[in-house]
Structure formats: C-alpha cells, structure tokens
Amino acid sequence: MAAEIVNPRSDSSTDHEGADEPFDPAFALHRGGKMAVQATVPIRDKDDLSLAYTPGVAKVCSAIAERPELVNDYTWKSNVVAVVTDGTAVLGLGDIGPEASLPVMEGKAILFKQFGGVDAVPIALATTDADEIVETVVRLAPSFGGVNLEDISAPRCFEIERKLQERLDIPVFHDDQHGTAVVTLAALRNAAKLTGRTLGELRAVISGAGAAGIAIAKFLLEAGLGDVAVADRKGIVSRDRDDLTPVKRELAELTNKAGLSGSLEAALAGADVFIGVSGGTVPEPAVASMAPDSFVFAMANPNPEVHPDIAHKYAAVVATGRSDYPNQINNVLAFPGIFAGALQVRASRITEGMKIAAADALAGVVGDELSAAYVIPSPFDERVAPAVTAAVAAAARAEGVARS
C-alpha cells in the first residue's frame, strides 16, 4: 500500500473534505501554506541581537541613507522578487480573486527559490484597476530587486507592464507573456534544427490572442520567424477586421504577412507550426492539412488543443504544456534563470536581447541529445538555470542595462 503523504503542518482531521471524505494530498500539502520566512543569520545571544537589530542596524541604515545603492549589498533586496497578481487570470480558472490566487503565487515563489535560488514574495492585490495596481507596485518597489507580474488578464496586463517598466529601474516581467514565449522559442529553434530548417523558413499559426499568444507572436518575429498569424475566437487577427481592440490592431500590423483571413483551421493549411495557448480543440483534418514535417505545440492544460496521439500522426515534433508527455513547454524553464541573471548584474530592466539569450541558452542545453522527443530540457535538468542565468547576465552587460 502506498504511503500517505503528510504535511507536518497538516491536521488530517480538519481537511477541507471532512472526516468522511477521501484523503486529498493537495489539501494536505497546502495546509499552512507552502512557504515561510527564514533568517540567514543566527540570534543566539545579546551580542547577535545588538548586531542584527539595534544598535548595530543603525550603522547600516545610516550608510544606506548616505549611499542608497548600498541597499543591494546590505539587505535582501538584490535577490528578492515581488510576485504580483490581482487574481483575474489564474491558471485556467479565470477571475477567481486575490485570495484564491495565493496558492498559485506561493507556488510561483517556491519555484523561484527551487530552480533559480531567488527569494520571492507573493503579493495579491485587492484591486483590478490598472492604475491602482501600478501605483501600488511602484510604492512597494524599494523592497524588491524585481517584479514578476502573474495571472493578470489581458489587455490590462500589457498596460500595467508598460507603465511599470517606464516608472521603475528594476526588472519587470510578466511571465504569462514572456516566460511562455522564451520557452516556445527555445523548443522551436531545436525543432527547426532537427528538421534542417531555419526560423525564417517557417510559417506559424497561434491559437489564442491573449497575453501569451500576443507575446509569443511578437517574440518569434523578433527572433526571425518567417511569418505568424494569430487567431482569436472570431478567426485570424487581420487588418480587414473592424472589431479589433487597439492591442489586436497593433498585432495585425506586425503579423500575418501572408494576408490570411477567416478561421484558424483554414490558416493551418500548409502551415509549418501550430502553437496553442487558448484551449478548445483543433479538428484532426486541420492538423492533417499542415505542411510536411510540421510542429504541433499544443500547450493548453489539462487538455491540449490537439491530443498528442493525433498530433503524432502528422507532425515531426509534438510539444504540450503537460508534464506527462515529452517536450513540456513549461515557464519554470525560463523565469527563475532570467530573474537570477538580471538580479546578478543588477539590471535595470529585462530586454528583448536578454530574453532571446535565455531562449538560446535553454535550447543549447539539449545539445547533441536532440530528438523529436527531446527538443526542450526538463525543468529538473540541473544545467538549465545556470545556463539561462549566465546567458541573461552576459546579455544584460552587452546591452548596457547591467549595473554591476
């Protein structure tokens, strides 16, 4: 019989399900939360106390007051990230509010620590007003070396990120956009290499014109993708549509060089790449109509837009967002190392060049092991975070945004 999973802070008699309900390890693991604050220095006696707190701490405070940059050397600021949400786009659950988002934000924080050695603090805000979120984060910023925006719905997430980048001199990164884009580019580079092609030879179709879909499209074009069309619920985002939001109008100007219009399924005919970040289901005939040696990256969770069994009938490379299939497109491959690299050199922001460097480093971890079932490494590959961290730090220096 399998051993019962026990959280030391758990009291199984008061589990959410009740005494008569089956044991649920998810609730047991989460009881009391998934993280805590831990001191890095001992306080064993009055001498330790006088150094860690008063009067010794006053010397450090005075030094920072005279030279504000010393805060990075004598506090935790240079290695701590604020994980900020308003709870409006949590996983696939939607707008569930700030309190209900906290288990996800705690999870994000422990992933920062586990995979990047970066401390992170969950901050769930009781407002959905973009300007209020910006003002709140700006006022909190002196305590942090970076800001990771998380699970904030589109299109507000674009405005919030842009305004924070304009007002803060620390990295601001919306992981739902850029983390997904970085890992997608890494996998796509290796898939192209495996089939003897370059990014410039590929035409992609993206299902989903939310935060991830828009960011992926822009990022892949920046990296040299030949063409990409993005579809929302009404079809391909194209210049001839009169129902587009300002964000989608901008997207229409940047994408779809082929001038496609109509449905996602029609756009897939002859396409080299499908990227799904929307949910829903793509009919098998549409997948069959793609070009030879195509790539299907169906990343919706838990149900991919194209089931891997169907995708494998037609595609040379198949990736999903799930951990139980090969080639998982998982943000945890990117954001811990990106922030670790940015914080290491005290970068003032995260540039496109730093993100491309992260994707290249991530793709490079695969190396000579490249195969159809291995175009992207596992999050548990110990080479990932150091490679991404080093590449991002070097790119920050090369682009002139590093301060150490």
Side-chain angles (χ1 to χ4, degrees):
M1 185 174 68
E4 184 177 80
I5 299 174
V6 178
N7 183 320
R9 289 176 290 183
S10 170
D11 176 0
S12 59
S13 67
T14 57
D15 276 347
H16 172 78
E17 297 82 4
D20 298 328
E21 296 296 325
F23 172 81
D24 189 326
F27 282 95
L29 183 142
H30 281 77
R31 183 168 298 283
K34 300 193 290 286
M35 57 185 295
V37 175
Q38 181 175 337
T40 60
V41 297
I43 302 181
R44 299 159 298 197
D45 51 38
K46 64 184 182 64
D47 291 333
D48 288 344
L49 181 60
S50 68
L51 289 173
Y53 200 53
T54 185
V57 72
K59 298 177 183 178
V60 181
C61 293
S62 298
I64 295 171
E66 292 178 10
R67 294 176 55 198
E69 71 276 10
L70 292 179
V71 70
N72 294 294
D73 297 314
Y74 295 109
T75 73
W76 77 337
K77 177 183 172 75
S78 63
N79 196 53
V80 66
V81 170
V83 180
V84 178
T85 190
D86 62 358
T88 55
V90 181
L91 300 178
L93 304 173
D95 185 355
I96 60 174
E99 289 87 357
S101 77
L102 271 175
V104 177
M105 300 308 114
E106 287 183 4
K108 195 79 173 191
I110 63 175
L111 294 179
F112 265 110
K113 189 67 173 180
Q114 174 72 26
F115 294 105
V118 173
D119 290 306
V121 177
I123 298 176
L125 301 179
T127 178
T128 60
D129 181 270
D131 287 333
E132 289 183 358
I133 292 171
V134 170
E135 292 300 327
T136 301
V137 175
V138 167
R139 283 161 174 73
L140 290 170
S143 296
F144 299 97
V147 176
N148 183 92
L149 300 174
E150 190 75 21
D151 291 351
I152 299 173
S153 62
R156 296 174 310 111
C157 59
F158 304 115
E159 176 189 0
I160 290 167
E161 183 184 45
R162 176 179 56 79
K163 288 182 175 179
L164 286 173
Q165 287 173 334
E166 290 171 353
R167 294 184 59 181
L168 298 177
D169 66 347
I170 58 175
V172 178
F173 187 83
H174 185 207
D175 186 49
D176 300 320
Q177 295 181 60
H178 310 301
T180 307
V182 165
V183 183
T184 300
L185 174 59
L188 190 56
R189 280 207 192 283
N190 276 338
K193 180 180 178 181
L194 183 68
T195 56
R197 288 176 285 180
T198 65
L199 288 183
E201 298 175 79
L202 303 177
R203 177 173 72 85
V205 177
I206 296 176
S207 175
I214 291 174
I216 291 170
K218 291 181 176 180
F219 190 55
L220 293 182
L221 288 173
E222 180 77 17
L225 186 71
D227 192 15
V228 58
V230 183
D232 62 11
R233 290 183 180 87
K234 297 181 180 180
I236 297 299
V237 175
S238 57
R239 296 179 184 180
D240 59 358
R241 283 178 50 179
D242 58 7
D243 61 344
L244 300 178
T245 64
V247 171
K248 290 182 182 179
R249 280 200 298 272
E250 178 191 5
L251 182 68
E253 294 297 323
L254 297 172
T255 61
N256 195 17
K257 296 175 187 175
L260 302 173
S261 59
S263 68
L264 167 75
E265 291 80 5
L268 280 174
D272 302 292
V273 186
F274 168 76
I275 297 171
V277 284
S278 66
T281 302
V282 178
E284 184 172 345
V287 181
S289 75
M290 295 178 67
D293 288 331
S294 61
F295 313 140
V296 172
F297 292 0
M299 297 186 278
N301 264 319
N303 299 311
E305 294 88 348
V306 181
H307 192 279
D309 291 345
I310 293 174
H312 277 296
K313 292 182 182 180
Y314 311 101
V317 176
V318 177
T320 72
R322 292 175 50 148
S323 61
D324 53 347
Y325 290 104
N327 296 326
Q328 184 189 19
I329 307 294
N330 191 328
N331 289 16
V332 77
L333 287 162
F335 70 81
I338 289 174
F339 267 101
L343 294 174
Q344 184 181 95
V345 297
R346 296 179 189 169
S348 57
R349 58 194 178 95
I350 294 173
T351 66
E352 292 299 297
M354 291 161 70
K355 290 184 285 185
I356 288 175
D360 290 347
L362 187 53
V365 170
V366 171
D368 294 338
E369 302 170 72
L370 179 63
S371 70
Y374 186 53
V375 297
I376 199 75
S378 162
F380 294 99
D381 188 323
E382 295 181 354
R383 299 171 296 174
V384 168
V388 173
T389 299
V392 169
R397 292 190 179 100
E399 300 208 342
V401 297
R403 289 176 289 196
S404 71

